[in-house]
Amino acid sequence: MARLSTCVFILLNCISLVLGFAAVSVSAHIQFRGGTDCQRSLQTPLLVTGLFLTIMSSLGLTGSCCKSNLVLWFYLLVLFFLIIGLIVFTIFAFIVTTNLSGRRAYPNSLQDYSHWLKNNFVTGKNWEDIKSCLIDAKVCNNLDIVDITHWSLIQSGCCKPPVFCKLEKSNATSGRAGGGGAAVEHSDCLMWSDKPEKLCFECKSCKGGVLGSIRRQWRVMALLNLAVIAVVLLIFIVGCCVRRNNRSDRYVRYSAYSNWPNN
């Protein structure tokens, strides 16, 4: 049983070590080969995650293979705080992605989202970075051949005039004022432009679509975090077993040495 727990612990740390190297490699590739603004925004998180996995896996392998309980103690302490951090983040993710309004005034309404999401994603420089990513990703290209019912929240909010503006439709992603409803002050109707680099990227409906997409992703990430917490907790438990095994082996060796007959 002791040997099995050690083998499982080593295997899990080898897997995380490979993942760490992969994350660092992808980050280095983005750094030296360049990429879009969106890709560059992932460089630092990938590097930090990769280095963390690499260092922690190395500590775990060192502690188990060299039977160093001091290293394992530090390793388990970091894992303990990591588990606490993941639990706190998961609860936080569920709280900030809660739908705040029972009804929507219109699709992609900003009233549906928490102040934290709005302040951290759709204001100031943060929104400029996201908007640059959307333009680089060409989210509004070739939508004429796609059924509008299959458009994403972002495409529905950013690539066409808002429905309530009552613009005359010239194609799937453009429109011009017609009838009497378009020019409503301080509304998305005044933000809309048929220029490909502008469209409705400054509209509240676009920001609402981005927040809706972020909320979905964070919900999925919160659920995945539960699985990650289970895996990290498993590693923590197995690590505790390995540390106890190391202590037992050391005691057995010490007893054998003490009882060795004197020459």
Side-chain angles (χ1 to χ4, degrees):
M1 187 65 182
R3 182 174 296 179
L4 176 62
S5 60
T6 301
C7 290
V8 171
F9 186 73
I10 291 174
L11 176 62
L12 291 173
N13 277 279
C14 285
I15 293 173
S16 62
L17 183 63
V18 172
L19 292 176
F21 280 138
V24 172
S25 298
V26 172
S27 177
H29 176 79
I30 295 173
Q31 171 67 29
F32 295 110
R33 292 295 184 90
T36 64
D37 289 341
C38 292
Q39 292 172 333
R40 285 193 292 272
S41 68
L42 295 175
Q43 179 184 339
T44 300
L46 279 173
L47 180 62
V48 172
T49 302
L51 289 176
F52 178 80
L53 287 174
T54 301
I55 294 171
M56 287 299 296
S57 301
S58 300
L59 288 174
L61 291 172
T62 300
S64 57
C65 295
C66 299
K67 299 187 181 299
S68 173
N69 276 351
L70 179 62
V71 174
L72 277 180
W73 182 87
F74 178 75
Y75 174 89
L76 294 172
L77 181 65
V78 175
L79 275 192
F80 173 78
F81 285 113
L82 176 62
I83 292 170
I84 299 299
L86 287 172
I87 292 173
V88 171
F89 175 78
T90 301
I91 295 173
F92 174 76
F94 277 116
I95 291 174
V96 298
T97 55
T98 300
N99 191 341
L100 297 182
S101 64
R103 300 177 58 186
R104 293 189 176 201
Y106 55 87
N108 295 346
S109 171
L110 291 179
Q111 297 173 0
D112 290 341
Y113 305 101
S114 67
H115 291 294
W116 188 90
L117 280 179
K118 288 185 283 190
N119 291 338
N120 285 275
F121 290 100
V122 296
T123 58
K125 186 178 182 301
N126 293 332
W127 177 246
E128 291 302 316
D129 293 339
I130 291 175
K131 183 174 70 173
S132 176
C133 285
L134 296 177
I135 295 173
D136 285 346
K138 300 178 181 179
V139 296
C140 295
N141 284 18
N142 302 319
L143 289 182
D144 291 338
I145 61 176
V146 180
D147 188 336
I148 195 170
T149 58
H150 296 151
W151 287 17
S152 67
L153 287 173
I154 292 176
Q155 290 170 333
S156 298
C158 304
C159 303
K160 66 178 180 63
V163 175
F164 59 81
C165 293
K166 299 180 181 178
L167 297 179
E168 290 181 355
K169 181 180 177 182
S170 56
N171 59 48
T173 58
S174 65
R176 54 190 175 82
V184 180
E185 267 191 63
H186 308 301
S187 76
D188 289 353
C189 308
L190 299 176
M191 296 288 186
W192 164 257
S193 171
D194 58 3
K195 295 180 180 179
E197 70 278 5
K198 294 187 69 176
L199 296 179
C200 215
F201 288 119
E202 290 295 340
C203 297
K204 292 180 181 178
S205 62
C206 183
K207 296 178 179 180
V210 169
L211 290 179
S213 179
I214 290 173
R215 179 162 64 186
R216 285 182 178 179
Q217 293 170 5
W218 274 47
R219 283 277 171 162
V220 172
M221 184 169 57
L223 294 174
L224 289 176
N225 259 4
L226 295 177
V228 172
I229 290 170
V231 173
V232 177
L233 187 59
L234 173 64
I235 296 175
F236 180 83
I237 294 172
V238 176
C240 290
C241 293
V242 172
R243 185 170 180 270
R244 185 182 60 192
N245 296 338
N246 288 349
R247 188 164 50 193
S248 299
D249 290 345
R250 180 175 297 178
Y251 175 77
V252 169
R253 288 197 302 270
Y254 176 77
S255 299
Y257 176 80
S258 299
N259 296 326
W260 192 265
N262 293 324
N263 292 328

